[in-house]
Amino acid sequence: MLAEFLPIGVVLLLGILVTAGLLLVSNLLGQKKPTPVKNTVYECGVPLIEGARKRYPIKFFLIAMMFILFDIEVAFLFPWAVAFRKLGLFGFVEMGVFVAILLVGFIYIWRKGGLEWE
């Protein structure tokens, strides 16, 4: 039983050793010349303009949630498209109902002004 897990243990040990070795070599050979410019705070290469405790409007989070919702729903279309021929008419009608429900939700959000960014 233990012999079955031996390859997994070897790969895990090898991964740990390679990671530790690379970190050690990087630490030994890397340049350590900190300057005030290198130590400044930045985000994505751009200097920080405002503080980190800035309040965001709730609209930002609502639009982010709607994007995630509709993005995930579109991900369900791919497996359906792959198995379209096997599913036949039932699969087509089922996906039509699914897309119709999504469309109703989208129209509701649109009517409520959820897509307006002011």
Side-chain angles (χ1 to χ4, degrees):
M1 177 83 172
L2 192 58
E4 295 173 1
F5 293 106
L6 184 63
I8 296 173
V10 170
V11 170
L12 185 63
L13 182 65
L14 185 65
I16 291 171
L17 289 176
V18 167
T19 303
L22 288 174
L23 287 172
L24 181 67
V25 169
S26 173
N27 195 12
L28 293 175
L29 299 178
Q31 295 180 1
K32 296 175 187 73
K33 296 180 182 175
T35 63
V37 175
K38 288 182 183 178
N39 290 332
T40 58
V41 178
Y42 68 93
E43 183 176 342
C44 301
V46 179
L48 189 62
I49 296 172
E50 297 179 9
R53 299 292 179 205
K54 178 185 171 194
R55 290 184 174 256
Y56 290 99
I58 191 68
K59 195 78 152 182
F60 173 80
F61 297 105
L62 290 175
I63 289 179
M65 284 190 292
M66 286 185 287
F67 171 76
I68 290 171
L69 175 71
F70 286 110
D71 189 47
I72 289 173
E73 301 305 333
V74 169
F76 286 123
L77 292 175
F78 181 74
W80 171 76
V82 170
F84 177 70
R85 293 194 189 270
K86 286 193 267 185
L87 295 174
L89 182 63
F90 175 74
F92 180 72
V93 171
E94 188 175 345
M95 189 51 71
V97 170
F98 178 74
V99 170
I101 291 170
L102 278 179
L103 187 62
V104 168
F106 180 71
I107 291 171
Y108 175 78
I109 289 170
W110 192 0
R111 294 275 183 171
K112 288 290 186 177
L115 301 176
E116 302 284 329
W117 189 268
E118 298 172 3

